[in-house]
Amino acid sequence: MIKRNNVYNKYKEIDVYGDIQKIPQGWQVIPNIAIFDERTSKDNLNEELISVTIGKGIIKQSELQNKKDISNEDKSNYKLVKQGDIAYNKMRMWQGAVGFSKYRGIVSPAYVVLKPKVKINPEYYHYLFRTNYYSNYAKRFSYGLCDDQLNLRYSDFKRMYSIMPPLETQDIIVRYLNKKSNQVNLFIEKQLSIIDILKEQKKGIVSRVITRGINENCNMKDSNIKWFGNIPEHWELRKLKFCVSLISEQTNKKEPDDIFISLERIESWTGLYNLKIGEDDFESSVKKFKPNDVLFGRLRPYLAKAVSPTEKGVCVGELLVLRPNKSILSNYLKYVLLSEQIITIIDSSTFGAKMPRASWDFIGQIEIPVPTLKEQEDIISYIEDRSEKTNYAINKIEKEIKLIKDCLESIVFNAVTGQIKVE
């Protein structure tokens, strides 16, 4: 808990640690070289591979989800990390890629491994080094032409300063912050699970209404397609290639009023895109599209990336450009392509193990439900209305998560710098 008086009895002024002007009496600010040596031991090939992450600090490589192992087969230059060591990514320390290790293992040569020279609680420095304050401090000692090339070598790290409370105080701070962090992480985990449920509900709504419509009282018929089951009896089933034209017009330049859409700019399952993600540069030719064309990602189709831009522009070759004919509305087609039924069908057809792709020859043969244009408009409105409500709920939860993260960051900073007293 934070003591009622909230502060230590006595403080002393300091002038070597940036904006922090005082620390409790009995605490020190000393050069990192007095606290840490660099561990450079190599040739530990039988040790487990571990990683330094921005989000969680040091974890086992095996705990990283959906991340490809990009480590070298030759690990003779990988550095040994012992329990209680601290490691940081030389090019990402200023972003918070640092932490103490609960494990013995090895890390890439891109990391610096720190071993304590004096008796400390390494978890205290885990918290200190991961504050936004210390990240910005580390950035001032990192060198490179741009942010992506900034490098914090040990020779520069050792010139930096760190706060050193008495060991007993370090232990108290660590116990307190561990408890607070666990409480916050549990709250965030629960909130994220709610977000996952809401997102699944959104997907379920799309998948339901593009096969059954929104009129629960209409007569149904067997579609004779196991993916769809029953559909309204007055709906048609048409092959996709008869509903659209496949556009393959290419160019090697982007006009001033063109937007540029790449796969990374498209959100999975939402039909939304973000032009602020990534760069507009491209090395090869791209495809042209017009307003209200539908773009569908054929690379890794299980990611469910489909959009219908209202502007003209260019897109990467891995996006199919589909121009709907008069029988189908572009936003309706977008939602059809985002339904779980269609994504499952397309994903089952992919070829290539590392970079699975679907071909237009297969996709064009898929039969899709085609209601009347009026019903398509109603379906679009129904989906977007419910999506708006769900997005509002998700945004509210995300704001709560950010608020509690900011609160924890403030508590950590004030605790590790002695601005508040905890026990």
Side-chain angles (χ1 to χ4, degrees):
M1 60 180 290
I2 298 176
K3 277 198 169 184
R4 189 169 299 173
N5 61 12
N6 205 34
V7 293
Y8 292 86
N9 293 330
K10 292 183 179 180
Y11 284 83
K12 62 182 179 181
E13 293 185 357
I14 57 173
D15 59 2
V16 293
Y17 207 59
D19 296 333
I20 300 174
Q21 299 178 346
K22 64 177 184 177
I23 58 174
Q25 196 75 34
W27 292 33
Q28 302 177 70
V29 177
I30 59 178
N32 284 340
I33 192 173
I35 309 174
F36 299 101
D37 269 331
E38 183 179 15
R39 189 183 300 282
T40 57
S41 305
K42 300 178 182 178
D43 293 321
N44 295 273
L45 303 181
N46 295 324
E47 300 290 348
E48 183 172 9
L49 187 64
I50 57 180
S51 294
V52 182
T53 68
I54 294 174
K56 297 182 178 180
I58 292 182
I59 62 175
K60 296 180 180 179
Q61 178 76 24
S62 58
E63 295 177 6
L64 287 173
Q65 295 182 350
N66 303 320
K67 184 166 182 179
K68 182 181 177 182
D69 184 358
I70 58 173
S71 60
N72 296 326
E73 291 185 11
D74 179 11
K75 294 184 172 56
S76 58
N77 287 323
Y78 277 50
K79 299 176 182 179
L80 177 67
V81 178
K82 293 185 177 180
Q83 289 178 316
D85 283 350
I86 289 176
Y88 69 83
N89 184 322
K90 285 186 286 188
M91 298 184 72
R92 291 288 179 265
M93 171 70 168
W94 62 274
Q95 293 178 314
V98 59
F100 96 101
S101 183
K102 300 177 183 178
Y103 320 106
R104 180 185 175 95
I106 53 175
V107 293
S108 153
Y111 298 122
V112 170
V113 181
L114 306 171
K115 58 180 179 181
K117 295 173 68 172
V118 294
K119 189 70 174 176
I120 62 170
N121 187 325
E123 286 190 82
Y124 166 82
Y125 289 93
H126 169 92
Y127 283 113
L128 175 65
F129 292 162
R130 290 174 62 80
T131 61
N132 290 332
Y133 177 87
Y134 208 92
S135 294
N136 292 328
Y137 180 43
K139 189 173 185 178
R140 301 206 301 269
F141 283 79
S142 302
Y143 296 92
L145 296 177
C146 59
D147 284 354
D148 286 342
Q149 296 178 3
L150 290 179
N151 197 314
L152 181 64
R153 301 164 298 182
Y154 174 72
S155 58
D156 297 309
F157 171 83
K158 70 182 183 182
R159 295 189 297 112
M160 298 168 61
Y161 282 75
S162 290
I163 295 174
M164 178 178 278
L167 181 59
E168 181 182 358
T169 305
Q170 292 179 38
D171 293 339
I172 292 171
I173 291 171
V174 166
R175 283 196 298 270
Y176 175 82
L177 293 181
N178 281 346
K179 181 179 179 181
K180 283 295 179 185
S181 296
N182 289 337
Q183 291 172 342
V184 168
N185 290 335
L186 181 60
F187 172 81
I188 291 174
E189 184 180 326
K190 289 180 178 178
Q191 297 306 99
L192 290 176
S193 67
I194 294 174
I195 289 177
D196 287 340
I197 292 171
L198 292 171
K199 287 181 176 179
E200 286 300 315
Q201 288 177 348
K202 280 176 61 177
K203 287 165 60 176
I205 289 172
V206 172
S207 298
R208 176 172 58 82
V209 299
I210 66 101
T211 57
R212 304 185 67 84
I214 59 176
N215 182 1
E216 297 180 357
N217 298 319
C218 69
N219 295 324
M220 309 294 284
K221 67 180 179 182
D222 188 351
S223 68
N224 295 316
I225 299 175
K226 66 177 181 179
W227 306 100
F228 296 148
N230 293 333
I231 63 173
E233 64 178 6
H234 62 285
W235 285 19
E236 296 182 36
L237 284 169
R238 295 182 195 166
K239 290 184 177 180
L240 181 59
K241 66 179 182 179
F242 297 138
C243 299
V244 302
S245 298
L246 177 66
I247 307 301
S248 301
E249 184 180 359
Q250 296 189 332
T251 182
N252 57 9
K253 64 180 181 179
K254 174 178 172 287
E255 300 296 337
D257 57 344
D258 282 343
I259 64 171
F260 173 64
I261 296 184
S262 59
L263 284 167
E264 67 176 345
R265 290 181 167 181
I266 302 176
E267 294 183 10
S268 293
W269 296 103
T270 67
L272 302 175
Y273 58 92
N274 187 344
L275 298 179
K276 295 181 181 180
I277 296 175
E279 301 293 333
D280 281 356
D281 298 332
F282 50 88
E283 297 178 358
S284 57
S285 62
V286 287
K287 295 178 181 177
K288 289 179 141 186
F289 61 83
K290 292 182 178 181
N292 300 316
D293 285 346
V294 177
L295 314 182
F296 178 77
R298 71 188 191 97
L299 176 66
R300 299 191 181 98
Y302 57 83
L303 294 176
K305 297 196 171 189
V307 293
S308 179
T310 55
E311 310 100 318
K312 75 182 188 73
V314 294
C315 65
V316 295
E318 294 294 357
L319 287 165
L320 296 177
V321 179
L322 308 177
R323 188 161 296 159
N325 61 28
K326 294 181 179 180
S327 69
I328 193 164
L329 301 176
S330 59
N331 277 330
Y332 174 75
L333 176 59
K334 175 185 70 177
Y335 289 124
V336 168
L337 293 173
L338 287 174
S339 67
E340 292 182 276
Q341 298 95 322
I342 296 296
I343 291 297
T344 300
I345 296 169
I346 295 175
D347 191 49
S348 68
S349 73
T350 55
F351 55 91
K354 292 185 178 180
M355 303 284 280
R357 290 177 175 83
S359 73
W360 171 246
D361 289 341
F362 178 88
I363 296 173
Q365 295 291 334
I366 295 175
E367 292 186 290
I368 64 170
V370 182
T372 66
L373 291 176
K374 177 63 170 64
E375 285 178 292
Q376 291 180 41
E377 291 176 351
D378 292 342
I379 287 171
I380 293 168
S381 297
Y382 183 91
I383 291 173
E384 292 181 348
D385 177 65
R386 277 149 184 78
S387 293
E388 183 178 354
K389 293 175 181 177
T390 303
N391 291 339
Y392 176 81
I394 291 174
N395 290 337
K396 185 177 180 181
I397 294 172
E398 289 175 341
K399 287 179 181 178
E400 290 175 352
I401 291 175
K402 183 180 184 306
L403 184 63
I404 197 168
K405 282 183 175 180
D406 290 344
C407 181
L408 179 62
E409 162 67 23
S410 177
I411 291 173
V412 170
F413 170 78
N414 285 302
V416 297
T417 60
Q419 310 310 299
I420 59 173
K421 186 174 185 180
V422 301
E423 64 177 21

